[in-house]
Amino acid sequence: MKWMKALALAAICALSVVTLAGCGGQSADNGGKKVLKVGSSIDFAPFEFQDEGQKDYQGFDMDLIRAIGKELGYEVEVSNIPFDGLIPAMQNKTMDVAISGMTINDERKQNVLFSDPYYQAGLTMVVRDDEQAIQKFTDLKGHKVAVQIGTTSAEEVKKLEGVEVHEFNTPADCFTELKARGVDAVVNDRPVNDYYIQKSGATGVKALPERLTAEDYGIAMAKDNTELQQKINEALKKLKDNGEYDKIFAKWFGESK
Ligand code: GLN
C-alpha cells in the first residue's frame, strides 16, 4: 500500500514538472493569452528604439515581430537586453526569440537557430565632416575606430590590419566618441548609420558609401526550438505574400521592397 502511495506521488510530481515546463516560454499562458517573450537591444534606430516620452518600443523590428505575433496568436512582450546578452538569453531560455538587427552568421548558428532572412544590411562607416584621411576602409589603418560590443562590426574591424578598435555598449556611445574626437570613425550597420545622419538630425558627421560586408538579419531562437522556427518562417512568408511586410518596410525606409 505504502509503495502504491509513493508511486502515485511520483506520478503527480512528474506531471506537475511537465505542466510547469509547459508554462515557460512561448507557450506561456498569461490570463488566457499566449505570450512570445522577445529580447531586443533597444539602441538601434530605425530597427528598435524608444523616443523620449514614448512608452512603447518602436522601429521596423518591433512592427515586424508584433505582426508575426499577431499571425501566430501570441501576445508580444519585448524586453530590452544588451546586444551581447541576447544569444545567452536564447540559450538559457529566458527569452523565446531575439529580434535586434541581428546578422545571421555561422558562428552564431552554432548557438542559436535563425529564421529565414528578413532584411539585407551590411557595414559602412561614419566619419567627421572635416575628415580628409579616411575615405575607404583601407584608410582606417593607423586610426582609432569605434564599434559596438558583440557585433559583426567589432568582429570585422578587428580583422583589419593596424586599426585601434574601441568597443562601446551602444552605437550612440560610438557616435558620441566620434564627435568628441576620441575616435576617427564608427563602423556600424548601413541602415542605422544612414538613419542617424538623415533622420536624427546628426550634424558634423557623414556616412561613407563603401560597404565592408553584405549581411542578412534573422530572428534568433533556442537551438532546439525548430517548431517555433518553422512557425516564424511561415508567418514571415505570409506577411511577405500579403503585403504587410512591404507596408512595414515602407513605413521605416520610405520605399517598398
Ligand atoms: N548586425 C550587427 C550584428 O548582428 C549589429 C546588430 C546590433 O547592433 N543590433 O552584429
Side-chain angles (χ1 to χ4, degrees):
M1 206 48 199
K2 234 183 188 168
W3 66 268
M4 271 187 78
K5 238 185 188 171
L7 207 70
L9 205 70
I12 290 168
C13 283
L15 209 73
S16 51
V17 166
V18 169
T19 327
L20 276 176
C23 289
Q26 82 268 11
S27 54
D29 202 298
N30 178 19
K33 278 185 213 132
K34 291 183 293 176
V35 173
L36 186 70
K37 289 195 260 168
V38 177
S40 184
S41 183
I42 311 293
D43 56 19
F44 213 56
F47 293 94
E48 37 270 329
F49 62 105
Q50 188 174 30
D51 271 341
E52 240 173 89
Q54 284 271 345
K55 185 171 73 65
D56 290 329
Y57 299 143
Q58 25 169 356
F60 178 83
D61 285 350
M62 299 295 99
D63 285 349
L64 186 62
I65 199 67
R66 285 182 191 124
I68 288 172
K70 201 167 164 194
E71 222 24 81
L72 300 176
Y74 292 138
E75 187 177 308
V76 169
E77 215 176 80
V78 184
S79 302
N80 187 4
I81 295 175
F83 190 77
D84 62 346
L86 289 171
I87 289 188
M90 300 300 102
Q91 290 175 302
N92 65 28
K93 303 201 175 175
T94 43
M95 293 289 135
D96 297 315
V97 300
I99 186 163
S100 205
M102 190 183 282
T103 300
I104 302 171
N105 66 23
D106 288 342
E107 196 190 325
R108 289 174 181 161
K109 273 194 202 161
Q110 291 179 359
N111 299 314
V112 290
L113 287 181
F114 280 105
S115 69
D116 290 333
Y118 69 85
Y119 186 92
Q120 282 185 331
L123 306 177
T124 61
M125 61 182 151
V126 176
V127 294
R128 285 180 296 271
D129 262 345
D130 59 2
E131 180 64 57
Q132 299 295 324
I134 304 169
Q135 276 158 38
K136 297 181 276 54
F137 277 95
T138 46
D139 300 331
L140 288 178
K141 198 172 177 176
H143 288 280
K144 294 176 187 160
V145 178
V147 292
Q148 185 183 10
I149 293 174
T151 61
T152 47
S153 299
E155 198 180 309
E156 293 298 327
V157 174
K158 282 176 195 168
K159 287 185 200 160
L160 302 175
E161 225 196 280
V163 175
E164 194 179 312
V165 185
H166 292 225
E167 297 184 74
F168 295 91
N169 282 326
T170 66
D173 293 342
C174 294
F175 293 131
T176 304
E177 193 68 10
L178 176 68
K179 286 185 160 193
R181 298 189 171 260
V183 293
D184 306 308
V186 173
V187 174
N188 187 31
D189 293 35
R190 171 193 46 79
V192 175
N193 287 341
D194 291 349
Y195 191 89
Y196 171 67
I197 306 279
Q198 293 157 15
K199 301 272 166 65
S200 65
T203 50
V205 290
K206 61 185 176 191
L208 299 176
E210 192 193 359
R211 295 181 190 195
L212 183 62
T213 57
E215 303 179 9
D216 282 328
Y217 291 168
I219 300 166
M221 57 222 106
K223 195 88 200 257
D224 60 1
N225 212 346
T226 44
E227 196 189 321
L228 183 62
Q229 182 191 38
Q230 196 185 338
K231 282 188 190 168
I232 287 191
N233 282 340
E234 279 166 14
L236 200 54
K237 184 173 183 312
K238 191 161 175 207
L239 296 172
K240 284 192 174 174
D241 290 345
N242 70 13
E244 192 60 33
Y245 175 94
D246 284 349
K247 267 193 216 158
I248 299 173
F249 192 96
K251 173 177 167 190
W252 293 104
F253 302 102
E255 68 212 72
S256 93
K257 261 207 109 199

